[in-house]
Amino acid sequence: MREKTISRPVENDEVNPLRVEKESKLIVDFAVPCIISMLVTSLYNIVDQIFIGQGVGMLGNAATNIAFPLSIACTAISLLLGIGAASNFSLHLGAGEEKKAVEYAGTGLCLMAICGIALFLVTTLFLTPMLKFFGATPDVLPYAEEYTRITAIGFPFLIANTGISKLILADGSPRYSMTSMLAGAIVNTILDPLFIFGMNMSMRGAALATIIGQIVSFCISLRYLFHFKTVKLHKDCLRLSWDRTCKICSYGASAGFNQVAMAVVQIVMNNTLAHYGALSVYGSDIPLACAGIISKVNMIFMSFVIGISQGIQPIIGYNYGAKLYHRVKHTYLLALGTATVLSMIAFLCFQLFPRQIISVFGSGSKMYFQFSERYFRIYMFLTLINGIQPVTANFFSSIGKAQLGVFMSLTRQILFLLPLIVIFPLIFGIDGVMYAGPIADAATAIVCGFFTLRELRELTQLQKQQTAAA
């Protein structure tokens, strides 16, 4: 049957703000909602961590760290499909191919639904062996099982909502995308203390608060699908296509693989910390709890950086498709400069106030705070250059260079950090995990800088050719 997708652009290229608006204003308009959306995603984990730390204790904090790879998996799938669909949507919209833009949006929505349900089923069927593989100790496992068994119900809603938010952003409605994510976070924040303390539901209460918030956000995002601004979605566009699926996955692979890499590293790190922690004065549970808290605190900083990298996607994608290369280059450099400033602020916070930050998540022994302070100061030492990789990886994906974007996204986690957290503890014991962080950060910045300079030279050359032809 021939597809009957209807495309109805509301505004033409001459007035589309992505083409004519000042780049700095566009970055603010698009990146701020993305940052808030990413902060909201982090907030789900942070709020749970804080209330669990206060209401359950150190073992509860360790349990959320064990379950964390599954949260990363949800984010990976949603970014793979959401950014992949949105990148194709933006490129075709910028080239004036509205029908193709709609088709990519529809295929992306179908893939989100299928993958969300699949992840829920796999998690439910293999929960206990999965958590043991993630590094759960006998004391931590019951808490992790109770928490994850419930949060798995929200996986389809979380994946769909996060993915749809990227399409909403590409359609030019960043504030709506932000609102849907923010509403769920507010619900989660209100219900967490009510369930954990008021109803004495412990880990189960935190999990229930989380999935209720995710469902609220999903419902708000779902409503937008009937009110797209630039095109009109039709039910016939909700079809799978192998070609479109491959392109969506290739364009979203940079962001998705970066999250997968984080999950792999988190699993290896959990097992490494448990093993070498047991051989140290700290024991196995203290490193697991501390590392989990620090990972989630780092997510707050990374929410700003990743939010900026996602916010520039529709700007760069549209203008690259429209062959406005000077706007592409200027947008990237502005985003990179902003991310670097934020990285410096995070560096100062991590180095100057580690004990104050860790204290927010509950009390602990002297050894608990000693380990957490050292972990903060050493592992996060080169945070000031951590903004380069996410912005650069999304930049390459946005201009259609998916393979290079994937490579950039895997540099820190897989190419450098993973081997180092396996090798260094053999030499330095549990301290080796800490030293692996800054070394991986430095190597990643060097690699990203090399490819970025080469691409900027190519954009400058294309710009000169256009000027000469005119």
Side-chain angles (χ1 to χ4, degrees), residues 191-203:
L191 294 181
D192 253 332
L194 177 63
F195 288 167
I196 294 174
F197 300 111
M199 301 178 67
N200 198 30
M201 296 175 70
S202 187
M203 300 293 289

Side-chain angles (χ1 to χ4, degrees), residues 412-425:
R412 181 183 187 270
Q413 304 291 340
I414 299 298
L415 190 60
F416 300 120
L417 185 57
L418 187 59
L420 290 175
I421 61 176
V422 172
I423 296 170
F424 273 23

Side-chain angles (χ1 to χ4, degrees), residues 7-148:
S7 300
R8 253 189 351 191
V10 174
E11 54 191 4
N12 58 45
D13 283 345
E14 298 304 320
V15 297
N16 194 317
L18 291 173
R19 175 186 285 266
V20 298
E21 191 69 74
K22 191 175 180 181
E23 292 93 333
S24 57
K25 183 178 185 303
L26 286 172
I27 290 176
V28 172
D29 290 344
F30 281 82
V32 169
C34 279
I35 290 170
I36 294 176
S37 295
M38 290 300 300
L39 281 172
V40 167
T41 302
S42 302
L43 193 61
Y44 279 111
N45 295 295
I46 291 287
V47 168
D48 282 355
Q49 191 91 50
I50 291 173
F51 287 117
I52 287 171
Q54 300 291 343
V56 180
M58 186 182 72
L59 291 178
N61 276 333
T64 59
N65 185 32
I66 293 300
F68 193 45
L70 286 171
S71 296
I72 298 176
C74 285
T75 305
I77 294 171
S78 60
L79 294 183
L80 171 72
L81 303 178
I83 290 182
S87 295
N88 282 283
F89 181 91
S90 297
L91 286 167
H92 286 293
L93 197 63
E97 300 168 346
E98 289 84 7
K99 184 177 183 295
K100 287 186 177 180
V102 172
E103 290 172 345
Y104 276 103
T107 299
L109 292 171
C110 291
L111 292 170
M112 292 171 205
I114 293 170
C115 291
I117 295 171
L119 183 61
F120 161 70
L121 292 175
V122 169
T123 303
T124 303
L125 291 173
F126 304 103
L127 180 61
T128 300
M130 192 179 290
L131 293 175
K132 289 181 179 178
F133 176 70
F134 291 166
T137 64
D139 290 336
V140 173
L141 183 60
Y143 294 93
E145 287 178 324
E146 183 179 20
Y147 182 77
T148 310

Side-chain angles (χ1 to χ4, degrees), residues 199-407:
M199 301 178 67
N200 198 30
M201 296 175 70
S202 187
M203 300 293 289
R204 187 160 50 95
L208 284 171
T210 297
I211 65 170
I212 292 172
Q214 290 166 352
I215 292 171
V216 169
S217 289
F218 167 75
C219 291
I220 295 173
S221 292
L222 186 64
R223 177 185 175 275
Y224 187 89
L225 297 182
F226 302 97
H227 302 88
F228 259 62
K229 289 165 55 179
T230 56
V231 295
K232 181 179 178 181
L233 296 184
H234 191 276
K235 65 180 182 180
D236 285 347
C237 76
L238 299 174
R239 294 184 178 185
L240 293 176
S241 160
W242 177 249
D243 290 339
R244 290 195 293 270
T245 298
C246 289
K247 274 205 168 183
I248 286 172
C249 290
S250 65
Y251 281 35
S254 170
F257 283 3
N258 190 46
Q259 295 294 319
V260 171
M262 287 175 61
V264 172
V265 169
Q266 189 72 39
I267 293 167
V268 175
M269 185 175 291
N270 285 346
N271 284 279
T272 302
L273 289 169
H275 175 73
Y276 288 97
L279 302 176
S280 72
V281 295
Y282 302 110
S284 58
D285 291 331
I286 285 178
L288 277 176
C290 293
I293 291 171
I294 292 168
S295 293
K296 291 180 176 64
V297 171
N298 188 46
M299 281 180 62
I300 297 178
F301 154 63
M302 291 305 296
S303 293
F304 286 92
V305 174
I306 294 174
I308 291 170
S309 70
Q310 292 179 3
I312 64 174
Q313 178 271 316
I315 307 169
I316 288 178
Y318 183 95
N319 283 285
Y320 195 83
K323 302 185 186 304
L324 299 174
Y325 301 118
H326 64 288
R327 290 177 62 83
V328 172
K329 184 168 67 173
H330 192 212
T331 300
Y332 169 74
L333 292 175
L334 282 173
L336 186 63
T338 305
T340 301
V341 171
L342 292 171
S343 300
M344 292 179 179
I345 295 172
F347 166 77
L348 292 174
C349 292
F350 294 160
Q351 295 300 312
L352 297 177
F353 310 111
R355 189 180 183 93
Q356 291 85 342
I357 294 172
I358 208 76
S359 296
V360 174
F361 297 89
S363 59
S365 65
K366 181 180 178 180
M367 299 299 292
Y368 172 80
F369 283 107
Q370 180 184 340
F371 181 84
S372 62
E373 288 181 38
R374 292 191 70 240
Y375 196 98
F376 246 130
R377 288 196 169 110
I378 298 175
Y379 188 79
M380 308 300 294
F381 184 71
L382 285 185
T383 298
L384 71 167
I385 58 174
N386 278 358
I388 297 174
Q389 184 252 6
V391 174
T392 302
N394 261 20
F395 165 70
F396 282 114
S397 296
S398 298
I399 62 175
K401 298 189 176 182
Q403 291 182 339
L404 197 50
V406 171
F407 174 72

